[in-house]
Short mmCIF file of all heavy atoms in Angstrom, two decimals:
data_model
loop_
_atom_site.label_atom_id
_atom_site.label_comp_id
_atom_site.label_asym_id
_atom_site.label_seq_id
_atom_site.Cartn_x
_atom_site.Cartn_y
_atom_site.Cartn_z
N GLN A 1 -1.33 -16.06 -14.48
CA GLN A 1 -1.33 -14.69 -14.02
C GLN A 1 -0.22 -13.95 -14.58
O GLN A 1 0.83 -14.43 -15.13
CB GLN A 1 -1.33 -14.55 -12.39
CG GLN A 1 -0.08 -15.07 -11.88
CD GLN A 1 0.01 -14.94 -10.32
OE1 GLN A 1 -1.08 -14.56 -9.70
NE2 GLN A 1 1.02 -15.20 -9.72
N VAL A 2 -0.26 -12.53 -14.42
CA VAL A 2 0.79 -11.73 -14.98
C VAL A 2 1.06 -10.55 -13.98
O VAL A 2 0.11 -10.05 -13.35
CB VAL A 2 0.21 -11.12 -16.39
CG1 VAL A 2 -1.00 -10.24 -16.23
CG2 VAL A 2 1.48 -10.28 -16.92
N HIS A 3 2.38 -10.24 -13.87
CA HIS A 3 2.81 -9.11 -12.97
C HIS A 3 3.25 -7.98 -14.01
O HIS A 3 4.04 -8.18 -14.86
CB HIS A 3 3.92 -9.60 -12.14
CG HIS A 3 4.48 -8.54 -11.26
ND1 HIS A 3 3.83 -7.89 -10.28
CD2 HIS A 3 5.77 -7.99 -11.27
CE1 HIS A 3 4.46 -7.10 -9.63
NE2 HIS A 3 5.74 -7.14 -10.16
N LEU A 4 2.75 -6.77 -13.63
CA LEU A 4 2.98 -5.59 -14.47
C LEU A 4 3.82 -4.56 -13.74
O LEU A 4 3.33 -4.28 -12.54
CB LEU A 4 1.65 -5.04 -14.99
CG LEU A 4 0.68 -5.92 -15.69
CD1 LEU A 4 -0.57 -5.29 -15.98
CD2 LEU A 4 1.40 -6.46 -17.03
N VAL A 5 4.78 -3.93 -14.32
CA VAL A 5 5.58 -2.87 -13.74
C VAL A 5 5.64 -1.67 -14.67
O VAL A 5 6.24 -1.89 -15.81
CB VAL A 5 6.94 -3.33 -13.29
CG1 VAL A 5 7.77 -2.23 -12.62
CG2 VAL A 5 6.71 -4.51 -12.23
N GLU A 6 5.15 -0.54 -14.31
CA GLU A 6 5.29 0.72 -15.10
C GLU A 6 6.63 1.38 -14.75
O GLU A 6 7.14 1.31 -13.69
CB GLU A 6 4.10 1.66 -14.85
CG GLU A 6 2.72 1.01 -15.14
CD GLU A 6 2.09 0.53 -13.79
OE1 GLU A 6 2.79 0.19 -12.89
OE2 GLU A 6 0.91 0.56 -13.76
N SER A 7 7.09 2.11 -15.90
CA SER A 7 8.28 2.94 -15.65
C SER A 7 8.27 4.07 -16.71
O SER A 7 7.40 4.01 -17.67
CB SER A 7 9.55 2.19 -15.79
OG SER A 7 9.60 1.60 -17.19
N GLY A 8 9.04 5.09 -16.53
CA GLY A 8 9.12 6.29 -17.52
C GLY A 8 8.47 7.49 -17.09
O GLY A 8 8.48 8.51 -17.81
N GLY A 9 7.78 7.48 -15.98
CA GLY A 9 7.16 8.75 -15.51
C GLY A 9 8.18 9.77 -15.05
O GLY A 9 9.37 9.40 -14.82
N GLY A 10 7.82 10.94 -14.85
CA GLY A 10 8.68 11.95 -14.41
C GLY A 10 7.99 13.39 -14.49
O GLY A 10 6.85 13.44 -14.68
N LEU A 11 8.92 14.36 -14.45
CA LEU A 11 8.51 15.80 -14.57
C LEU A 11 8.84 16.36 -15.94
O LEU A 11 9.94 16.12 -16.32
CB LEU A 11 9.20 16.67 -13.56
CG LEU A 11 8.95 18.14 -13.45
CD1 LEU A 11 7.45 18.47 -13.23
CD2 LEU A 11 9.86 18.83 -12.56
N VAL A 12 7.83 17.02 -16.63
CA VAL A 12 7.98 17.48 -17.94
C VAL A 12 7.27 18.81 -18.05
O VAL A 12 6.32 19.04 -17.42
CB VAL A 12 7.60 16.43 -18.96
CG1 VAL A 12 6.12 16.23 -18.91
CG2 VAL A 12 8.00 16.82 -20.45
N GLN A 13 7.90 19.76 -18.91
CA GLN A 13 7.16 20.89 -19.18
C GLN A 13 6.00 20.76 -20.11
O GLN A 13 5.97 19.87 -20.94
CB GLN A 13 8.22 21.90 -19.68
CG GLN A 13 9.34 22.40 -18.87
CD GLN A 13 8.84 23.12 -17.58
OE1 GLN A 13 9.14 22.68 -16.46
NE2 GLN A 13 8.07 24.19 -17.80
N ALA A 14 5.02 21.68 -19.99
CA ALA A 14 3.95 21.61 -20.88
C ALA A 14 4.41 21.73 -22.32
O ALA A 14 5.29 22.49 -22.66
CB ALA A 14 2.97 22.73 -20.64
N GLY A 15 3.80 20.84 -23.13
CA GLY A 15 4.18 20.76 -24.59
C GLY A 15 5.23 19.67 -24.91
O GLY A 15 5.53 19.42 -26.03
N GLY A 16 5.77 19.09 -23.71
CA GLY A 16 6.83 18.04 -23.89
C GLY A 16 6.25 16.65 -24.05
O GLY A 16 5.07 16.56 -24.22
N SER A 17 7.14 15.74 -24.07
CA SER A 17 6.80 14.41 -24.33
C SER A 17 7.46 13.40 -23.20
O SER A 17 8.47 13.63 -22.68
CB SER A 17 7.25 13.93 -25.72
OG SER A 17 6.76 14.63 -26.72
N LEU A 18 6.72 12.40 -22.99
CA LEU A 18 7.13 11.24 -22.19
C LEU A 18 6.81 9.82 -22.86
O LEU A 18 5.73 9.89 -23.53
CB LEU A 18 6.72 11.23 -20.66
CG LEU A 18 7.16 12.32 -19.83
CD1 LEU A 18 6.44 12.23 -18.54
CD2 LEU A 18 8.80 11.97 -19.56
N ARG A 19 7.48 8.95 -22.49
CA ARG A 19 7.06 7.53 -23.09
C ARG A 19 7.10 6.62 -21.87
O ARG A 19 8.12 6.35 -21.26
CB ARG A 19 8.16 6.98 -24.05
CG ARG A 19 7.80 5.65 -24.65
CD ARG A 19 8.89 5.01 -25.39
NE ARG A 19 8.69 3.83 -26.33
CZ ARG A 19 9.42 3.02 -26.71
NH1 ARG A 19 10.69 3.13 -26.36
NH2 ARG A 19 9.03 1.97 -27.49
N LEU A 20 5.96 6.07 -21.60
CA LEU A 20 5.78 5.20 -20.46
C LEU A 20 6.01 3.67 -20.94
O LEU A 20 5.54 3.45 -22.01
CB LEU A 20 4.39 5.29 -19.79
CG LEU A 20 4.12 6.75 -19.23
CD1 LEU A 20 2.70 6.68 -18.57
CD2 LEU A 20 5.15 7.26 -18.36
N SER A 21 6.52 2.94 -20.13
CA SER A 21 6.64 1.45 -20.51
C SER A 21 6.03 0.53 -19.38
O SER A 21 5.91 0.90 -18.22
CB SER A 21 8.06 0.97 -20.56
OG SER A 21 8.80 1.69 -21.58
N CYS A 22 5.44 -0.52 -19.77
CA CYS A 22 4.77 -1.54 -18.82
C CYS A 22 5.47 -2.83 -19.28
O CYS A 22 5.09 -3.46 -20.34
CB CYS A 22 3.33 -1.44 -19.04
SG CYS A 22 2.39 -2.71 -18.00
N ALA A 23 6.26 -3.28 -18.38
CA ALA A 23 6.94 -4.66 -18.49
C ALA A 23 6.13 -5.76 -17.76
O ALA A 23 5.75 -5.59 -16.60
CB ALA A 23 8.35 -4.60 -17.98
N ALA A 24 5.87 -6.80 -18.43
CA ALA A 24 5.10 -7.94 -17.98
C ALA A 24 5.94 -9.09 -17.64
O ALA A 24 6.97 -9.38 -18.45
CB ALA A 24 3.97 -8.33 -18.95
N SER A 25 5.60 -9.84 -16.66
CA SER A 25 6.22 -11.08 -16.32
C SER A 25 5.19 -12.22 -15.97
O SER A 25 3.97 -11.77 -15.62
CB SER A 25 7.25 -11.11 -15.22
OG SER A 25 6.65 -10.64 -13.96
N GLY A 26 5.43 -13.51 -16.00
CA GLY A 26 4.39 -14.50 -15.97
C GLY A 26 4.01 -14.90 -17.32
O GLY A 26 4.80 -15.22 -18.17
N ARG A 27 2.67 -14.98 -17.56
CA ARG A 27 2.22 -15.24 -18.83
C ARG A 27 2.55 -14.07 -19.85
O ARG A 27 2.82 -12.98 -19.54
CB ARG A 27 0.61 -15.38 -18.90
CG ARG A 27 0.13 -16.54 -18.13
CD ARG A 27 -1.36 -16.69 -18.22
NE ARG A 27 -1.75 -17.08 -19.66
CZ ARG A 27 -1.81 -18.34 -20.15
NH1 ARG A 27 -1.44 -19.26 -19.32
NH2 ARG A 27 -2.13 -18.49 -21.43
N THR A 28 2.74 -14.47 -21.10
CA THR A 28 3.17 -13.47 -22.15
C THR A 28 2.07 -12.43 -22.23
O THR A 28 0.90 -12.70 -22.17
CB THR A 28 3.38 -14.19 -23.40
OG1 THR A 28 2.33 -14.85 -23.87
CG2 THR A 28 4.60 -15.05 -23.37
N VAL A 29 2.44 -11.21 -22.57
CA VAL A 29 1.50 -10.07 -22.66
C VAL A 29 0.66 -10.19 -23.93
O VAL A 29 -0.49 -9.70 -23.89
CB VAL A 29 2.29 -8.77 -22.72
CG1 VAL A 29 2.97 -8.68 -24.03
CG2 VAL A 29 1.42 -7.57 -22.33
N SER A 30 0.97 -11.11 -24.76
CA SER A 30 0.10 -11.32 -26.05
C SER A 30 -1.15 -12.00 -25.65
O SER A 30 -2.06 -12.10 -26.34
CB SER A 30 0.89 -12.06 -27.15
OG SER A 30 1.33 -13.36 -26.59
N SER A 31 -1.27 -12.60 -24.54
CA SER A 31 -2.46 -13.30 -23.98
C SER A 31 -3.56 -12.33 -23.62
O SER A 31 -4.60 -12.83 -23.35
CB SER A 31 -2.10 -14.26 -22.82
OG SER A 31 -1.15 -15.17 -23.21
N TYR A 32 -3.22 -11.05 -23.46
CA TYR A 32 -4.10 -10.07 -22.93
C TYR A 32 -4.32 -8.87 -23.72
O TYR A 32 -3.34 -8.46 -24.45
CB TYR A 32 -3.73 -9.58 -21.57
CG TYR A 32 -3.41 -10.75 -20.47
CD1 TYR A 32 -2.15 -11.34 -20.40
CD2 TYR A 32 -4.42 -11.16 -19.66
CE1 TYR A 32 -2.00 -12.29 -19.53
CE2 TYR A 32 -4.31 -12.18 -18.80
CZ TYR A 32 -3.08 -12.80 -18.70
OH TYR A 32 -2.83 -13.76 -17.77
N ALA A 33 -5.53 -8.28 -23.78
CA ALA A 33 -5.62 -6.89 -24.15
C ALA A 33 -5.06 -6.01 -23.11
O ALA A 33 -5.22 -6.43 -21.89
CB ALA A 33 -7.11 -6.55 -24.54
N MET A 34 -4.54 -4.89 -23.45
CA MET A 34 -3.92 -4.08 -22.47
C MET A 34 -4.42 -2.66 -22.41
O MET A 34 -4.93 -2.19 -23.41
CB MET A 34 -2.34 -3.98 -22.72
CG MET A 34 -1.59 -5.22 -22.73
SD MET A 34 -1.61 -6.09 -21.14
CE MET A 34 -0.67 -4.87 -20.18
N GLY A 35 -4.41 -2.04 -21.34
CA GLY A 35 -4.97 -0.75 -21.19
C GLY A 35 -4.11 0.18 -20.30
O GLY A 35 -3.30 -0.32 -19.48
N TRP A 36 -4.32 1.52 -20.59
CA TRP A 36 -3.66 2.47 -19.58
C TRP A 36 -4.73 3.30 -18.95
O TRP A 36 -5.80 3.73 -19.60
CB TRP A 36 -2.71 3.38 -20.38
CG TRP A 36 -1.39 2.88 -20.76
CD1 TRP A 36 -1.06 2.30 -21.95
CD2 TRP A 36 -0.29 2.74 -19.93
NE1 TRP A 36 0.18 1.84 -21.82
CE2 TRP A 36 0.78 2.13 -20.75
CE3 TRP A 36 0.10 3.20 -18.71
CZ2 TRP A 36 2.02 1.91 -20.25
CZ3 TRP A 36 1.36 2.97 -18.17
CH2 TRP A 36 2.26 2.39 -18.97
N PHE A 37 -4.70 3.49 -17.61
CA PHE A 37 -5.63 4.45 -16.82
C PHE A 37 -4.75 5.48 -16.05
O PHE A 37 -3.57 5.30 -15.98
CB PHE A 37 -6.42 3.47 -15.94
CG PHE A 37 -7.50 2.58 -16.54
CD1 PHE A 37 -7.04 1.52 -17.28
CD2 PHE A 37 -8.80 3.05 -16.61
CE1 PHE A 37 -8.08 0.72 -17.84
CE2 PHE A 37 -9.73 2.22 -17.18
CZ PHE A 37 -9.34 1.04 -17.70
N ARG A 38 -5.36 6.51 -15.72
CA ARG A 38 -4.80 7.47 -14.74
C ARG A 38 -5.73 8.00 -13.75
O ARG A 38 -6.87 7.96 -13.74
CB ARG A 38 -4.26 8.64 -15.68
CG ARG A 38 -5.30 9.47 -16.32
CD ARG A 38 -4.70 10.53 -17.26
NE ARG A 38 -5.77 11.37 -17.86
CZ ARG A 38 -5.52 12.31 -18.82
NH1 ARG A 38 -4.28 12.40 -19.19
NH2 ARG A 38 -6.44 13.07 -19.27
N GLN A 39 -5.03 8.49 -12.71
CA GLN A 39 -5.77 8.88 -11.47
C GLN A 39 -5.04 10.10 -10.83
O GLN A 39 -3.92 10.05 -10.49
CB GLN A 39 -6.05 7.88 -10.43
CG GLN A 39 -6.85 8.34 -9.29
CD GLN A 39 -7.36 7.03 -8.49
OE1 GLN A 39 -6.65 6.13 -8.40
NE2 GLN A 39 -8.43 7.19 -7.73
#
């Protein structure tokens, strides 16, 4: 199994940029295809 923790979110003005990170523990992340979703 793998545990995932996102970081890097926040408040930004329109036209700006953010970089989100997803750190994994457990099995190496190379064992999986990865995706991002939003709600």
Side-chain angles (χ1 to χ4, degrees):
Q1 63 178 8
V2 61
H3 180 64
L4 306 173
V5 178
E6 303 96 333
S7 63
L11 175 65
V12 65
Q13 295 296 123
S17 298
L18 283 174
R19 187 195 193 199
L20 305 184
S21 297
C22 177
S25 61
R27 295 186 64 86
T28 57
V29 73
S30 63
S31 299
Y32 304 90
M34 301 295 296
W36 286 95
F37 291 76
R38 66 187 183 186
Q39 188 167 23

